[in-house]
Amino acid sequence: HSLGEIGSDPEWPVGFSSSRMFWSRIHPGRRTRYVSSIFSGPDGALRFQVVADDDPDHPIVEDNPSKAWKKIFEAVESPRSLC
């Protein structure tokens, strides 16, 4: 975990990371750890990334955290939707 650095948007510090346990997108009925982080994209815009421990090669990156987690929630409801 990291608190990140306060930049132009103190609500979303670049470098902040956290983790939580939630249902796996690829192993129905199993839980996995997801690591969320905030970084600055090539254009300087904030990007929000969520990576599952059991699927590290397929991070979800969006322009806000709600969009990233919505993809995870949808995938958990329909595990084949992210394939």
Side-chain angles (χ1 to χ4, degrees), residues 18-63:
S18 64
S19 64
R20 69 176 283 188
M21 297 297 293
F22 193 67
W23 298 109
S24 172
R25 296 177 294 164
I26 60 174
H27 300 291
R30 294 176 67 187
R31 294 168 59 91
T32 190
R33 183 178 70 131
Y34 289 88
V35 176
S36 301
S37 58
I38 302 171
F39 66 94
S40 183
D43 60 356
L46 291 179
R47 305 300 285 169
F48 299 84
Q49 177 174 277
V50 182
V51 181
D53 278 357
D54 65 350
D55 194 17
D57 294 332
H58 297 100
I60 296 174
V61 180
E62 290 291 341
D63 60 2

Side-chain angles (χ1 to χ4, degrees), residues 5-18:
E5 297 178 20
I6 302 298
S8 61
D9 187 347
E11 183 178 2
W12 304 111
V14 171
F16 175 84
S17 68
S18 64

